[in-house]
Structure formats: structure tokens, C-alpha cells
């Protein structure tokens, strides 16, 4: 009998403890999740707004020098390049020698100048002699004037030859019929088409050097046929490069080509950028993003508020520190750091925009 009473009491105690534990667990489960003070400093909250939908087009492009702000250096005459003193990309100052070229034409000009100097000396002696005779009443005024005109004529021919040599880059001390090409401006060598030993044909129309100050550059972007209707002058663009992936350059499209590139079948658009730090260099690859607003609107939130869970999209809606819930949404599109919502969220609702994934994991695991 005593044994029975002991077992019965033990059994009742177990049932009581079990029920009490269940009630305690049930109360704990029903207690809502609240943001701690630490968590409140880790998150950011923003309200869903109504925004005009921005269209975004991703293009590839290349940095180029400003073709309207360059100087192209052409040869003055045919010949052979004796020395090329600069390389592609070199910085040059105004008046700096770029190349020395040996030319038969310049050599002929020097020979003509030597003969002209001799003719001037002879004409000067004749003029001095006629002047002396005229002053002593021996020669007539006509003879004196003829000697004077002849001297002036020969002197003019010499001056003409000297000017021609100076224009062509020659000088009186040059030997072997050489002339020099100098830079008319300060800037950078952005194009170089000669090397020492090259021969330059007299009828060649190609420039030897191109010099640009690179204070302004062009970004030429490629637009495929399907995107042409969405492109127009004046649209805002953001540009990034492989060299500076974290730096964004802002500009606008200032010119669009009217014809397609015959090789790549793309339309070229031009963006002019200031380049004060000389960071952008011709030949750099560029990522170009073109944006413009459409006429339609949609609910929009920062892209950081969207949580992706196996392809499904969610946001954490904030009502108070102890009232948060996970809300599924349908995404219309994402442009930059802005996401447009098709359904699932109303304008004015508050959402977690920073560290939303942490709260999502906590709330979804309840």
C-alpha cells in the first residue's frame, strides 16, 4: 500500500512538472521578437516611395582623346627620319623637338640659299659701285636705279628662301639638308606613326604625331541596333574603368553617330569628360551606363532592402521595434541602387534597408 502511494505521488509530480514546462515553453514562444539596442544601431529604416521608373542601358566603350582639341604634326617634305626623340605617351613642351628628318628638298633649299647669298653679295658690290659713280657724276641715275632694283630683287629671293627653310623647320646651322619637327603646344603624344630610319614619301598624307593636352577626353560607347531607339543626346551616363573600378565619372551624351560602324555594326555615341587628374588615358576600356526616366511610376525602395531566398524576394516590414514581419514582394526591375516593386508592398510602408538579411533569418526561423 505504501509502495503504491509512493509511485502514485511520483507519477503526479511528473505530470505536473511536464505541464508546467509546456506552459512555460508556450509563453516563451508567444513572446514577440524585439529589436535590441545593439541591433537598432546596426540597421537602417526607409519608407517605400512612388518613383518614376528609370531605364538603364549598359554599354561598352573606350576612352579617346578629344579630337577637337589636338594638334596633328605633318611632314614638311619627304625624306628619311634621322632621329625620333619622343615616344607614345610622352609629355612634351611647346617648342620641343620631336624628330629630325633628312630631306633632299631641304638640301636643295640650302644650296639655293648659298647661291642667293653669293648673288646678294655681287649685287651689293654693283650697287655700291653704281652709287659711287652716280654721286661723282660719272654714272647716270638710270644705271644707279637699275643696280638698286637688281639688288632688291635678289635680296627678296634670298629672304624668300630663308623664310621657306624656317617654315620647314630648317636653320642656317643645319647640315646635310635636315629639318626638325617641333611641338607647337604642350601636351602628350597620343599618336606616333614614325620611327628612326623610316622613309617619308612626299605625297603621303598621314600625320606623324598627334598631341593632346588630355584635359578633356572622349568616351566612345557602342550602341547595338536594339538599343538605338532608347538613346538620345543629353541623357545622363555613369562611367567606370578597369583601372579605377570604384570611381564613377558622370557625364552626358553630347553626340550620336548617324551611321553604324561598318565592321562592328554598332552606333557610336560620344561622352565628353573633364580629366583634371589625367586619370583617364586614351585606349582605356570603359563601362558606360545610360539612364533616363520613363513616363510610368512604381513603388520603389533601396535595393539593400530586398532579400533573395532561393529566387524568391522578400522585405522586412518595420512597424515598431517589436512589430516586424517578413513580406514577399514581386520585383518589377532594379536600376542601380533602386528597386521597383510590382506587388507586395505599399507606398509609405517602412522597410529595413541595412542588414535586412539578419532580421529575415531571425524572423523566418521563428
Amino acid at each position: 500500500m505504501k509502495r503504491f502511494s509512493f509511485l502514485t505521488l511520483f507519477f503526479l509530480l511528473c505530470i505536473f512538472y511536464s505541464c508546467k514546462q509546456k506552459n512555460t515553453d508556450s509563453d516563451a514562444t508567444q513572446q514577440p521578437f524585439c529589436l535590441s539596442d545593439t541591433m537598432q544601431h546596426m540597421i537602417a529604416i526607409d519608407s517605400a516611395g512612388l518613383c518614376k521608373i528609370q531605364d538603364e542601358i549598359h554599354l561598352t566603350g573606350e576612352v579617346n582623346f578629344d579630337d577637337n582639341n589636338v594638334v596633328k604634326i605633318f611632314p614638311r617634305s619627304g625624306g628619311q627620319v634621322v632621329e625620333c626623340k619622343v615616344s607614345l605617351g610622352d609629355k612634351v613642351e611647346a617648342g620641343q623637338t620631336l624628330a629630325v628628318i633628312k630631306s633632299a628638298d631641304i638640301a636643295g633649299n640650302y644650296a639655293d640659299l648659298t647661291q642667293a647669298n653669293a648673288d646678294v653679295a655681287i649685287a651689293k658690290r654693283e650697287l655700291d659701285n653704281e652709287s659711287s659713280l652716280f654721286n661723282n657724276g660719272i654714272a647716270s641715275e638710270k644705271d644707279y636705279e637699275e643696280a638698286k632694283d637688281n639688288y632688291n630683287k635678289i635680296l627678296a629671293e634670298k629672304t624668300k628662301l630663308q623664310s621657306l627653310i624656317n617654315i620647314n623647320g630648317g636653320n642656317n646651322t643645319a647640315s646635310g639638308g635636315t629639318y626638325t619637327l617641333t611641338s607647337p603646344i604642350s601636351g602628350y603624344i597620343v599618336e606616333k606613326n614614325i620611327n628612326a630610319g623610316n622613309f617619308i614619301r612626299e605625297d603621303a598624307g598621314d600625320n606623324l604625331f598627334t598631341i593632346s593636352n588630355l584635359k578633356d577626353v572622349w568616351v566612345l560607347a557602342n550602341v547595338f541596333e536594339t538599343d538605338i531607339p532608347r538613346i538620345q543626346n543629353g541623357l545622363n551616363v555613369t562611367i567606370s574603368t578597369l583601372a579605377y573600378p570604384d570611381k564613377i565619372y558622370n557625364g552626358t551624351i553630347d553626340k550620336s553617330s548617324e551611321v553604324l560602324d561598318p565592321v562592328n555594326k554598332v552606333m557610336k555615341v560620344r561622352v565628353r569628360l573633364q580629366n583634371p587628374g589625367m586619370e583617364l588615358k586614351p585606349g582605356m576600356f570603359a563601362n558606360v551606363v545610360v539612364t533616363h526616366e520613363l513616363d510610368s511610376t512604381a513603388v520603389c525602395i533601396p535595393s539593400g532592402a530586398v532579400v533573395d531566398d532561393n529566387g524568391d524576394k522578400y522585405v522586412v516590414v518595420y512597424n515598431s521595434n517589436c512589430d516586424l514581419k517578413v513580406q514577399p514582394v514581386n520585383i518589377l526591375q532594379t536600376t542601380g541602387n533602386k528597386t521597383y516593386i510590382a506587388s507586395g508592398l505599399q507606398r509609405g510602408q517602412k522597410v529595413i534597408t541595412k542588414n535586412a538579411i539578419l532580421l529575415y533569418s531571425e524572423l523566418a526561423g521563428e
Side-chain angles (χ1 to χ4, degrees):
M1 185 68 178
K2 290 181 179 180
R3 183 178 180 183
F4 175 78
S5 299
F6 178 79
L7 292 174
T8 301
L9 179 62
F10 179 78
F11 181 74
L12 292 173
L13 288 173
C14 289
I15 293 175
F16 175 79
Y17 180 80
S18 176
C19 291
K20 185 177 180 180
Q21 183 68 31
K22 288 181 178 180
N23 290 335
T24 303
D25 293 342
S26 177
D27 292 341
T29 302
Q30 293 175 359
Q31 189 173 15
F33 170 79
C34 293
L35 291 174
S36 65
D37 292 339
T38 301
M39 184 63 74
Q40 290 179 42
H41 289 87
M42 295 174 60
I43 65 171
I45 304 170
D46 202 351
S47 297
L50 190 64
C51 308
K52 281 192 173 183
I53 300 176
Q54 286 190 330
D55 190 20
E56 192 174 84
I57 309 169
H58 292 261
L59 308 174
T60 60
E62 184 179 55
V63 179
N64 206 340
F65 52 83
D66 184 346
D67 204 30
N68 291 332
N69 193 24
V70 299
V71 174
K72 295 182 181 292
I73 310 297
F74 293 87
R76 275 68 180 270
S77 62
Q80 184 179 18
V81 180
V82 177
E83 188 176 6
C84 185
K85 294 181 174 290
V86 294
S87 300
L88 186 66
D90 283 356
K91 183 178 181 180
V92 296
E93 302 295 334
Q96 181 176 333
T97 297
L98 305 178
V100 179
I101 300 173
K102 186 176 182 180
S103 169
D105 293 337
I106 297 298
N109 289 337
Y110 278 119
D112 293 341
L113 181 61
T114 300
Q115 182 61 49
N117 284 328
D119 292 342
V120 168
I122 294 172
K124 184 65 168 64
R125 287 197 299 270
E126 291 179 352
L127 175 61
D128 291 341
N129 184 50
E130 290 295 332
S131 177
S132 177
L133 294 175
F134 174 70
N135 291 331
N136 291 320
I138 300 175
S140 65
E141 183 178 359
K142 178 181 178 182
D143 293 337
Y144 168 71
E145 291 297 332
E146 287 179 352
K148 184 177 179 181
D149 290 343
N150 184 57
Y151 170 76
N152 289 335
K153 181 179 179 180
I154 294 176
L155 183 62
E157 288 294 330
K158 176 200 169 181
T159 303
K160 179 180 178 180
L161 281 171
Q162 184 64 66
S163 298
L164 181 61
I165 291 174
N166 292 338
I167 291 173
N168 287 336
N171 55 71
N172 287 331
T173 61
S175 60
T178 61
Y179 71 92
T180 58
L181 291 176
T182 59
S183 175
I185 63 170
S186 296
Y188 296 85
I189 303 294
V190 296
E191 191 176 18
K192 172 176 173 284
N193 297 318
I194 63 166
N195 290 300
N198 289 161
F199 285 90
I200 302 172
R201 292 176 49 184
E202 190 171 354
D203 59 348
D206 297 333
N207 61 300
L208 305 184
F209 301 97
T210 301
I211 302 174
S212 172
N213 58 24
L214 295 183
K215 291 181 180 179
D216 294 302
V217 295
W218 288 350
V219 175
L220 301 179
N222 302 315
V223 182
F224 291 101
E225 287 188 58
T226 53
D227 292 326
I228 288 178
R230 303 160 65 190
I231 296 294
Q232 58 186 0
N233 293 344
L235 292 182
N236 294 324
V237 301
T238 57
I239 296 170
S240 61
T241 62
L242 295 177
Y244 312 103
D246 298 327
K247 187 165 185 178
I248 299 298
Y249 303 88
N250 296 302
T252 58
I253 297 176
D254 72 339
K255 186 176 182 180
S256 302
S257 176
E258 297 299 331
V259 295
L260 299 185
D261 186 289
V263 177
N264 301 320
K265 298 301 181 181
V266 294
M267 182 181 77
K268 296 286 186 180
V269 295
R270 185 182 73 191
V271 180
R272 188 191 305 273
L273 293 178
Q274 292 186 344
N275 190 29
M278 305 300 171
E279 295 175 340
L280 298 174
K281 307 181 189 306
M284 276 185 171
F285 178 82
N287 291 307
V288 181
V289 179
V290 184
T291 58
H292 68 95
E293 291 185 345
L294 304 178
D295 294 333
S296 55
T297 59
V299 173
C300 61
I301 58 175
S303 298
V306 180
V307 178
D308 189 326
D309 189 356
N310 293 324
D312 295 324
K313 310 297 182 182
Y314 301 89
V315 295
V316 178
V317 177
Y318 174 90
N319 296 312
S320 70
N321 288 340
C322 292
D323 186 3
L324 300 98
K325 67 175 182 178
V326 173
Q327 180 74 31
V329 293
N330 293 317
I331 304 300
L332 183 63
Q333 71 177 56
T334 297
T335 303
N337 62 350
K338 188 178 292 185
T339 296
Y340 299 92
I341 306 299
S343 62
L345 193 65
Q346 300 297 320
R347 178 183 180 183
Q349 285 187 282
K350 294 182 178 180
V351 294
I352 304 299
T353 60
K354 181 180 178 182
N355 289 324
I357 184 65
L358 300 179
L359 295 179
Y360 172 81
S361 300
E362 183 69 30
L363 295 169
E366 290 185 352

